[in-house]
Structure formats: C-alpha cells, structure tokens
Amino acid sequence: MIIVLKPNHTEAQLEHICEKVEEMGFRYELSRGVQRTLLGVIGEEDELRNAPLKAIAGVESVMSVLKPYKLASREFHEEDSVFELGHGVKIGGGSMILIAGPCAIEGHDVLLEIAQAVKAGGANVLRGGAFKPRTSPYSFQGLGEEGLKILREVGDATEMPVVTEVMDPRQVELVDKYTDILQVGARNMQNFNLLMEVGKTDKPVLLKRGMSATIQDLLMSAEYIIAHGNKNVILCERGIRSFDSSTRNLFDLSMVPNVKGLSHLPIVVDPSHATGRPDLIPSMALAGVAAGADGIHIEVHNCPEKAMSDGPQALLPNQFAEVAKQIRDLAPFFNKELATNPQPVA
Ligand code: PEP
Ligand code: MN
C-alpha cells in the first residue's frame, strides 16, 4: 500500500502519519521525492485494505501496490502517461513519436543534412550522441559539448526536439542545458547514481533496457528516476544479449505488451540496436507498432560507410522515409497517431 501525502503537507503531519501507521501495526518506508512524499506501508494484505489510512490528516490518497516498483506501476497510475517533449511533440496516450538521426554527432553540416532528410521523411524527434559509450577506448568517443551545441542548433533549425545520451552523473547539468530528452543508455541502465541525477531534472528520460536486464530490473531503474522527482520516463527496448550471432541482439518484442500491463510509462522500440541490420529494421519497426509501442527509434546516416559510429546498421534517408510512411499508415490500426509533417524526398 502506498500513502501519497498532500503536496503541501507539514513535517508534523508526516510524523503523525508515521505514528498512526505504526499504531495500526504496520511498518513503513519513507520516500521523499522532489515533488511528493510517499509512505510505502507494509503489512498483511487484508488488514491493510481495511485500515483507515486515508482518514489520516495530510494523506491525499492510498494505493495498493504489491510489486517492488510502485510509482512506475500501472496500479499507481492507471492511465497511460503522456509527456510533452518540445516543439509540440507528445508521446503516450495514442501519440507516437519517431526518433531518427545518426548514432553520433559528427559535425554541423552532416547533422543538418541528416536532420532535414529525416524530418522530410517523417521523423518528429532528432537523435545524435555527443558522449558515446564505445566498447573500445580507441573508437570515436563523441564531440562532447561541441556536439551538444550542434545538436541544439540543428534541432531548433529543423523544429524537432532532440535526444542525446548522458553517460555520467557529472555530465547531467551540461547535457540538460542543451537537450530536450536525456538518454540513459543500455550500459548505464543500472548506474544508480546517474539515475538519481537525471531524476532530479525535469527533462523526459529515454531509459534504454540493459542488455541483460529483466523487465523488473528495467522498471526498478525507472522507479529510481521517478522516486527522485522526475516522472517523465520513457522506456526503450533495444534488444537483449542472446546466444545467436546473426543479429546484434535479440529484439524482445513481447516486452511491449508485457510492460504495458505492468506500467503506465510510454515505450519506444529501437530495432536499429536490437537487430544491427538494415534489412531487418523496417519489418521490426512495424512489428513494434503492432506490439503497441509509443515510439520507434531508428538510426539514419546519409553516408553509412563513413559514419563514425554504428554505420553498418544505419538506414539511408530514402529507406527511412519508406518505413516512416508505413509506420504512419499502420499506427491508426493500433489506435495510435504519428503526427509528423513529411515532405516528398527528392
Ligand atoms: C545509442 O543509442 O547510440 C546507443 C549506444 O544505444 P544503446 O545504449 O541501446 O546501446
Ligand atoms: Mn548507436
């Protein structure tokens, strides 16, 4: 059971609630978020259900949640969450997003060219990494702040909200200055210090599933962010490790309807990192729509063989435009709308 305190509760009211809960024979866990204070009340199911918790002064509402993730759970928030991302783009509750762009920001002109092409093709969110989590220390690590500036400029010029990865708690303030959406990558899904830090911002967070993370691990990581005051968490399925090497990862599509039953948070699927193969990305993107995803994430480059990161999995702009049209046409069959402004690509 969760007790949600009134936003303007006093310390005396909180103390009183804690005393009353103990008097009723229950234990409690206190969670002070930036916005709300919550008490997780632990005790016997039936007794909890019949306890007059709601009548205590300072209590706004009482919810029954048995899972370890509370604030991320569907029980805590019945309706699908809907977030504003900037430039009038929304995710959740029937609004779909299409995130596209290169793996890494490589320079102003190349990003602008790709951004214009994906916008024309039907994307409504621009991606690009300035801090890249590379397996090899000798690979291109990203342009850092210079890359963030370019991303901001190009996002504004093409009127799209932008998303970029933040790898370290010490980078959060800097990345937050330039981006609309903070991305926590698969390798950092359980970097709890990072989760707490992005939880203190008010920017939507694209939380990518770790490559060996269970559904519960993912939702517990979302819980970290929400418990620190930021409820704008977007989950992202980007494939998990498997024994098969014909694809980069195993695209766990059943995760989408599975998590939809468990959580109110919007879900994006990323067939680019999940498959690592341009020939599989279009069909898997459409499968993502059919599975109920609220967004699709696709890496695009105008010259994949010259890309400084993830070139082999990048779609060309014309390939992207084709799948974007199919996504847009398919979405209404699943009660979704991809609101974009595609232009014919030359
Ligand atoms: C990326 O989005 O470029 C990326 C590194 O993704 P992931 O964390 O899913 O590997
Ligand atoms: Mn990538």
Side-chain angles (χ1 to χ4, degrees), residues 174-228:
L174 176 73
V175 179
D176 183 37
K177 233 169 74 184
Y178 294 99
T179 196
D180 299 297
I181 305 164
L182 294 160
Q183 176 173 320
V184 173
R187 290 153 193 82
N188 272 312
M189 191 205 81
Q190 285 188 315
N191 179 341
F192 299 113
N193 290 327
L194 180 61
L195 299 178
M196 289 189 261
E197 219 43 48
V198 297
K200 291 179 199 160
T201 75
D202 57 6
K203 291 279 163 73
V205 178
L206 183 69
L207 177 64
K208 297 189 101 178
R209 181 180 180 183
M211 49 196 85
S212 58
T214 64
I215 301 295
Q216 184 159 309
D217 292 338
L218 174 64
L219 289 170
M220 292 309 288
S221 290
E223 188 80 10
Y224 258 91
I225 299 169
I226 306 172
H228 283 81

Side-chain angles (χ1 to χ4, degrees), residues 122-199:
N124 56 5
V125 179
L126 177 65
R127 68 147 284 139
F131 294 101
K132 295 303 304 172
R134 304 306 298 276
T135 304
S136 164
Y138 309 118
S139 300
F140 176 58
Q141 305 284 311
L143 295 180
E145 186 168 7
E146 189 198 333
L148 296 174
K149 284 183 183 161
I150 293 171
L151 183 65
R152 180 74 272 157
E153 249 178 75
V154 172
D156 288 344
T158 51
E159 296 179 346
M160 285 186 281
V162 297
V163 56
T164 196
E165 178 159 358
V166 56
M167 287 170 56
D168 188 292
R170 292 165 296 186
Q171 288 168 349
V172 172
E173 206 181 323
L174 176 73
V175 179
D176 183 37
K177 233 169 74 184
Y178 294 99
T179 196
D180 299 297
I181 305 164
L182 294 160
Q183 176 173 320
V184 173
R187 290 153 193 82
N188 272 312
M189 191 205 81
Q190 285 188 315
N191 179 341
F192 299 113
N193 290 327
L194 180 61
L195 299 178
M196 289 189 261
E197 219 43 48
V198 297

Side-chain angles (χ1 to χ4, degrees), residues 109-120:
D109 295 354
V110 63
L111 186 66
L112 183 62
E113 199 178 310
I114 297 169
Q116 284 168 337
V118 297
K119 168 94 177 187

